Amino acid sequence: MSGPTGAVEETEQLCIPAGSVGGLELVDGLISDLCAGARISLGGLWGSSQAITLARLAARDDRTWIALVSTDSEARILADDLRIFGAERALLPSTGSDRKHPEVDALRQRMEVGRQLAQGACPKILVASLQGMLTPLPTVGRMEQDLLILRVGEQLNVERLLERLAGRGHARQPLVERPGEFSVRGDVLDLWVHASVEPLRIELFDEEIESLRSFDPENQRSTQTHVELEVCMADASSQDEDGVPPFRLVQSDVCLVDVEPLRL
């Protein structure tokens, strides 16, 4: 029996392009009506038929499509189904019910989608829950203020960074154990921003970055080494201060889809 080789097999993801599915001629015939600005309602859409219909329509239209659903769980399911049918889509979740302690993954995803929209890189279909769409995103200027770009070999103004962290609500602690904390021990700076899954350790030589490593907060061991990293220092307040509704960041014509049970 041979030993492990260290190779990791990638899980194949099923993809059935919506354009290759037959029997949707009725859907194709609605494009001209939609382009003319008509309101259309489709019923009797069970299971993934909502996603394949939406993917088919969006693929034949030049606009950005915004699909609104009731909850974050429904948004995730629809986004997953759209991926299966080959649709270019992005998910805009809410950050949960606790505004002071947002869900880390959701906050990071919102910041990423916000950056894409602000840069004009709109996905073909933007899937969002009502709460996710109604919660403001930071303005472009605010997102630039919240973004920290780190590169090994470059200079880092530590005092300025500590001021930025404190100004964004991060607390200085002897040891970083949870999001929203940072610590300084000699030439080692640890920080865990709200929009990151793991904390980051910055090792310095004077003011030059020698290494960037993500680490496990429980055992303090490194999990990944970086040469360059973008760190989003946004916290929950970034969504409220000078925020804008996500749909206002979309820089193209929009087709709005209200996704209800069995209906579009």
Side-chain angles (χ1 to χ4, degrees):
M1 180 181 295
S2 61
T5 63
V8 178
E9 294 185 2
E10 295 185 358
T11 302
E12 293 186 1
Q13 294 185 331
L14 177 65
C15 182
I16 307 172
S20 66
V21 178
L24 296 177
E25 291 76 13
L26 175 61
V27 173
D28 296 339
L30 298 175
I31 290 296
S32 59
D33 293 333
L34 285 171
C35 291
R39 290 178 59 93
I40 294 176
S41 178
L42 299 176
L45 299 175
W46 293 83
S48 297
S49 59
Q50 286 183 324
I52 193 172
T53 300
L54 181 56
R56 182 88 166 217
L57 289 171
R60 286 161 168 74
D61 188 57
D62 293 332
R63 293 170 293 181
T64 295
W65 288 52
I66 296 178
L68 286 179
V69 298
S70 297
T71 66
D72 285 331
S73 60
E74 292 176 25
R76 282 189 288 270
I77 292 172
L78 179 59
D80 287 343
D81 286 348
L82 287 169
R83 178 195 59 76
I84 292 175
F85 295 120
E88 178 199 350
R89 85 287 181 268
L91 174 63
L92 183 70
S94 73
T95 53
S97 56
D98 189 345
R99 298 300 298 276
K100 293 184 178 180
H101 300 90
E103 296 178 9
V104 173
D105 289 343
L107 178 60
R108 186 177 64 254
Q109 191 165 358
R110 286 182 63 83
M111 296 301 105
E112 178 60 27
V113 171
R115 285 179 57 199
Q116 292 176 5
L117 296 179
Q119 294 170 357
C122 296
K124 188 62 183 178
I125 304 174
L126 179 61
V127 183
S129 64
L130 290 175
Q131 184 179 351
M133 185 57 69
L134 293 175
T135 302
L137 284 169
T139 62
V140 177
R142 184 54 182 272
M143 282 189 276
E144 291 177 349
Q145 293 176 10
D146 286 335
L147 186 65
L148 174 66
I149 301 176
L150 301 169
R151 297 183 182 91
V152 172
E154 292 196 352
Q155 299 291 306
L156 177 65
N157 188 327
V158 176
E159 292 302 321
R160 174 57 181 151
L161 174 56
L162 297 183
E163 291 177 1
R164 291 178 67 183
L165 289 169
R168 301 306 301 130
H170 294 73
R172 185 166 182 168
Q173 301 290 348
L175 193 67
V176 169
E177 297 178 307
R178 58 181 59 88
E181 295 181 347
F182 67 94
S183 70
V184 182
R185 302 185 309 280
D187 290 331
V188 177
L189 168 62
D190 290 347
L191 61 96
W192 194 349
V193 296
H194 290 283
S196 293
V197 176
E198 289 184 316
L200 175 68
R201 177 160 295 152
I202 306 172
E203 295 183 345
L204 300 161
F205 180 74
D206 195 9
E207 290 193 344
E208 180 180 318
I209 300 175
E210 277 198 320
S211 70
L212 299 168
R213 293 181 293 165
S214 300
F215 66 93
D216 187 327
E218 294 187 1
N219 56 32
Q220 299 292 302
R221 292 180 179 176
S222 299
T223 58
Q224 188 175 1
T225 300
H226 311 275
V227 175
E228 178 178 340
L229 195 64
E230 290 187 353
V231 178
C232 178
M233 295 191 293
D235 61 2
S237 65
S238 297
Q239 303 180 91
D240 301 316
E241 301 174 6
D242 301 323
V244 294
F247 63 86
R248 293 193 180 278
L249 291 174
V250 179
Q251 301 178 23
S252 61
D253 292 338
V254 170
C255 182
L256 181 63
V257 182
D258 183 12
V259 182
E260 301 177 357
L262 307 182
R263 301 188 65 84
L264 290 178

